[in-house]
Amino acid sequence: MKRSEVDKEKLSPGMRQYYDIKEEYPTELLFFRLGDFYELFFEDGEIASRELELTLTSKNAGLESRVPMCGVPFHSVKPYIEKLVNKGYKVAICEQLEDPKNTKGMVKRGVVQVISKGTIVDSELLSEHDNNYIASILDFSFIYVLCYADISTGNISIMNIEHKKEKLLNEILNLKIKEVLLKDNSDLELIGLLKGTYGIEVSISDGLLEEGYENLINSVEDIRFKESIKHLLYYLIVRELKDASHIKNVNIVNTEDYLEMDVHTIRNLELVETLRLKERTYSLIWLLDKTKTSMGSRKLKDYLMHPLKDKEKIIARYDKINTLNTEFILKDKLRESMYQIYDIERLCGKIACGSLNARDLLQLKTSLKELPTIKEVVENLHFDYQIETHKNIYDLLECAIYENPPVTLKEGYLIKEGYNSELDELKSIRSGGKNFIADFEAKVKESTGIKTLKVGYNRVFGYYIEISKGQVKEIPDDLNWERRQTLTNCERFISPELKEKEALILNAEEKIIEMEYNLFNEIKETIKKQLISLKDTAEIISELDAITSLAVCADEYNLVRPEINENHVIEIKEGFHPVIKKVSNNTYVPNDCIMDDKTTTLLITGPNMSGKSTFMRQLAIIVIMAQMGSFVPAKSANLPIVDKIFTRIGASDDLVSGESTFMVEMNEARNAIMNATENSLILFDELGRGTATYDGMSLAQAILEYVNQNIKCKTLFSTHYHELTALDREISSIKNIHVSAHEEDGKITFLHKIKNGAVDKSYGIHVAKLAGMPEELTTRANEILMHYEKNKNKASEDKVQLALSFDEPKKIDPVQKFMEGIDPVYMTPIEAINTLYELKKLIKNDKKM
C-alpha cells in the first residue's frame, strides 16, 4: 500500500498526524516516535525493512486494510540511522514534543532534525581523522563557487574554482565531500559524475537564507560568496533543522597560497590511503600522525593536503618543531595533557545542534581540566598562542554534573547534590521515604500490638499496611484505616498519614527527573553562549597537537630541517622514502637527488623493481613534507618552493569511465603539461608504455623535449626506452641517471643506488626469474632475446621503423608466420614474455600436427 493511494480523511487521528508530517518530508525516511519505538509506515516502512533486514509488519490505521510498518527501539536507533545514511538515504527524526503523562488527547510531535551524509553531528557515526563536509556548488558561467562546511565542528570555507569540471571534481574528491548541493538538476553530466562515478550524495535546493546569520554572511565582500553561503545555510538551517551558531567565521581559501596537487598525485603518492587496499595504514598520514586528539589528527591531515607556499609560515613551523625537540621534557608534558582532551570541536557541534548528553559534558570538563597545564607549557615554550582556560565552565560542570550519569536525559541522576536547593529538598524527600516507611511500620506495630504487620508497596495501590485475617479484629477503631484489598490470607489497608507521605515520595521522583532535565538544559545554554571562545581554544589545541606530532616524527624517524632556497635548486643528500623505510624488513638504501639551476630533468633508467618509482615518489614526498612545515627524510635537504606537483606513476585502466591504460596516461600527462609552471614538479614513470613501442617512444621524446624547452620545470622521467638517453647530448638541461644492479652468472642483484649515466639493459628476463617463472620458459626467452640482439639493425637517423634480418627458413611454418607479424627491436620485458608464451603455444600445436 502506498501513501499516495490513501484517503487521508479515513485515517485514524494518530496516522493522520503522521501523514501531515510526512507530507513536509516526502523524500526522507520519517522515524516517527511512538513510545519506546521509532516507527516507519507505507513506503518508508518497506524501504527500512529491506535495507535494515527487519521484519515488515502492519498496523491498523483506520482503513479497511492495515498499512505496512517497520519499527526500531529508540534507545538503539543510532546503528540503524548510520546504515541508512551510508546507503544514501536521508532520515527525518520526529519526536514527541510533549510528555504523554501531562497531555490530554494527541501528543504533539514534530521533526527535530534531518540527517544526511553531509550533516551528521554524532561523533559515534563519524571518522575521527576526517572532516564530514557538505558543499554548495554555484555555477556563475565563468567560475564555480564552492562553499563547504562541517556542521559537526562548525567550520565553513569558500573558494573560487576555474570553470572546469575536472578542477571542481578535483577539489571535491580531495576534500572528501560527502554531500553536494546544487540549485537545480540541469547539469546532468556533473550529477552523473558525482553520484554515479564517485558515490557522492547530491541534493537539490534552490533556497537562500535571507534572515539570520547576517554577521557570518556579511563577513565576506564578494556577492557570489554571499549567495553561496546563503544557499548552504538555507539547506542546513531550514531544510535540515541544524543550529549553525557555532560557526564563527568564513575561511576564504585562496588556492594560490598552497602547493597544488590533483587527485591523481594524492593517490599515486599514497598520502592519505594506499593504492592497493585504499586503507589509511601504510600511507604517509599514517606514518606522520602521532597526534593525541581527534582535532589534531584532522589538522595534521589539513597540513598534508594543503602544503604552504609562504616561506615565512613554513619556517615558523620549523622553528616550533625545533623548540619542541629541544625542550623535550615540556614536549612530553604537553602530549600527556593533550591525551586527556576529547574532541572539543565536535562537542561544540553537539551543544549547538542539541544532541548533547551528560557524558558529553563530562568529556568537556575532563578536557578543560588540562588547559591550565597546557597554557603553562605553551608560555614556557614562548609560542604565540593565547589559551583561554574556561575556568567558569569547568567550575560549573564540576559542581553540577554527576560523575557517572546515564546516557539519556530522562532517567535522573544528572545533577549533583548542592547545585540546586529545591532539587536537594526533593532528593531528601525521596531518600527519606524509605526511612519514613521503616519508622512508620515500627510505630504502628507498637501502637496496635500487631507484631506481624508490615508496610508494602505496589503500583496499583501505592503504599499499604498488610495484616493477616486473624489479627484484623485487633485494629483499634480510632485509627481510621481504610480497607483497600482483600486477599486469601490477609487484608490491606491505607491510613491518612501513609497516604500523605506517599504523595510526597512518588511526586518527588517525577519532579526530580523533570527538574534535573531543565537544569541540564540551562547548563547547556550557559555553555552555548561561550561556544565561539571554546572553538578558538579547540583550534589552538589542534594546531599544537599537529605541530607536536611533526616534532615527534622528526625525532623518531631522524628527519632533518630543510633549507629553503629561491634559486630553483634541489640538493637532497641521502634522502629516503619514510614509509618504506619504516615498514621494510631490509636495509634501506638512501639516495641523493641533485638538480642545479641548469638541470630541469633527471632521465632515469634501470631494471624493473630496482627502485626507480620509489626514488621519484620520495622526492615528491620530501617536497610535500617540507612545505607542510615538517622536517624531511634525508641527511640534508635544500629545496625550492614548488607551486604544483603532477604525477603519472603506475599503469591501470580506468574501468569506471571505460578508459584504457594509455588514455589514462595521456590524460594525466596532458594535465601536467597544460598546467605546470617553471616552479612545478613533474614525475613521469615510464610514460608511453601503454601503446606500441614506436608510438610510446616517440611520444615520450616529444614530451621530454616540450617540458624542457617550454615549461622548464623540475622533472623526473623514468623510462625503458634506452634510446631516449641520447637526448642529454641535444638538450643540456637533461641529465641521465640510473639505478644500479649487479649481474653475475645470469643472476641479478638490485643495489637500489642512484648513479650518474644511463644503462642500456632492462633485465626483464631476470625479473621474470625472480617472479618464479619456469626455468624452461626463461631460458627460451633468453635465447630469443639473444637472437633479436644479434640480428637487429640500427635505427636510421629519422627513426623510421627498423627491419629485422633473419635467415630464410627452408619452409614456411606457423612460428615463422607469427614472427613476421611482430616487431621485437625495442620490445619491453613484459611484451617479450607474452610473445614467448604465444611462441610456446604455436610450437606445441606444430608438434601435434
Side-chain angles (χ1 to χ4, degrees), residues 234 238 658 719:
Y234 178 87
V238 179
T719 185

Side-chain angles (χ1 to χ4, degrees), residues 746-776:
K747 295 182 179 180
I748 186 171
T749 302
F750 297 124
L751 302 179
H752 304 292
K753 195 68 180 176
I754 297 292
K755 294 184 177 180
N756 291 328
V759 295
D760 57 1
K761 293 182 70 175
S762 291
Y763 300 96
I765 295 173
H766 297 81
V767 175
K769 288 180 181 179
L770 291 175
M773 285 286 188
E775 185 177 353
E776 179 186 0

Side-chain angles (χ1 to χ4, degrees), residues 595-634:
M595 300 178 79
D596 59 29
D597 58 346
K598 294 177 182 178
T599 302
T600 59
T601 298
L602 295 181
L603 187 58
I604 312 168
T605 49
N608 291 308
M609 290 180 58
S610 61
K612 297 191 301 295
S613 297
T614 298
F615 177 73
M616 297 171 75
R617 284 188 173 99
Q618 80 183 36
L619 172 60
I621 284 173
I622 287 171
V623 168
I624 291 167
M625 288 178 65
Q627 290 185 217
M628 72 181 282
S630 169
F631 285 12
V632 300

Side-chain angles (χ1 to χ4, degrees), residues 574-731:
E574 297 186 20
F576 58 91
H577 191 299
V579 178
I580 295 177
K581 184 175 181 181
K582 171 72 175 176
V583 302
S584 176
N585 294 324
N586 303 319
T587 302
Y588 190 94
V589 179
N591 276 298
D592 298 347
C593 183
I594 309 297
M595 300 178 79
D596 59 29
D597 58 346
K598 294 177 182 178
T599 302
T600 59
T601 298
L602 295 181
L603 187 58
I604 312 168
T605 49
N608 291 308
M609 290 180 58
S610 61
K612 297 191 301 295
S613 297
T614 298
F615 177 73
M616 297 171 75
R617 284 188 173 99
Q618 80 183 36
L619 172 60
I621 284 173
I622 287 171
V623 168
I624 291 167
M625 288 178 65
Q627 290 185 217
M628 72 181 282
S630 169
F631 285 12
V632 300
K635 185 176 181 180
S636 66
N638 188 3
L639 302 164
I641 297 291
V642 173
D643 64 354
K644 301 174 186 179
I645 295 180
F646 300 95
T647 65
R648 172 57 217 167
I649 300 175
S652 61
D653 291 355
D654 189 341
L655 299 178
V656 174
S657 61
E659 292 181 345
S660 68
T661 297
F662 185 63
M663 179 58 79
V664 173
E665 277 190 344
M666 291 301 100
N667 280 335
E668 294 183 14
R670 172 195 50 83
N671 181 47
I673 290 167
M674 298 300 291
N675 293 289
T677 72
E678 185 181 4
N679 296 317
S680 300
L681 173 64
I682 294 178
L683 309 179
F684 282 155
D685 188 16
E686 297 186 37
L687 195 67
R689 63 182 166 182
T691 188
T693 303
Y694 288 107
D695 282 349
M697 187 171 65
S698 301
L699 279 166
Q701 178 169 336
I703 289 171
L704 272 170
E705 291 173 350
Y706 185 90
V707 169
N708 279 272
Q709 292 167 3
N710 295 280
I711 304 174
K712 301 178 182 178
C713 64
K714 297 298 186 187
T715 304
L716 266 57
F717 196 111
S718 73
T719 185
H720 282 293
Y721 300 134
H722 302 295
E723 291 72 15
L724 297 180
T725 59
L727 284 172
D728 69 336
R729 295 191 292 271
E730 301 175 20
I731 304 173

Side-chain angles (χ1 to χ4, degrees), residues 473-485:
K473 59 181 182 294
E474 299 179 22
I475 300 173
D477 294 334
D478 60 347
L479 291 181
N480 297 320
W481 288 2
E482 179 183 338
R483 182 182 276 107
R484 265 300 167 89
Q485 189 178 19

Side-chain angles (χ1 to χ4, degrees), residues 467-474 489:
I467 299 177
S468 64
K469 285 195 173 181
Q471 293 180 302
V472 169
K473 59 181 182 294
E474 299 179 22
N489 299 317

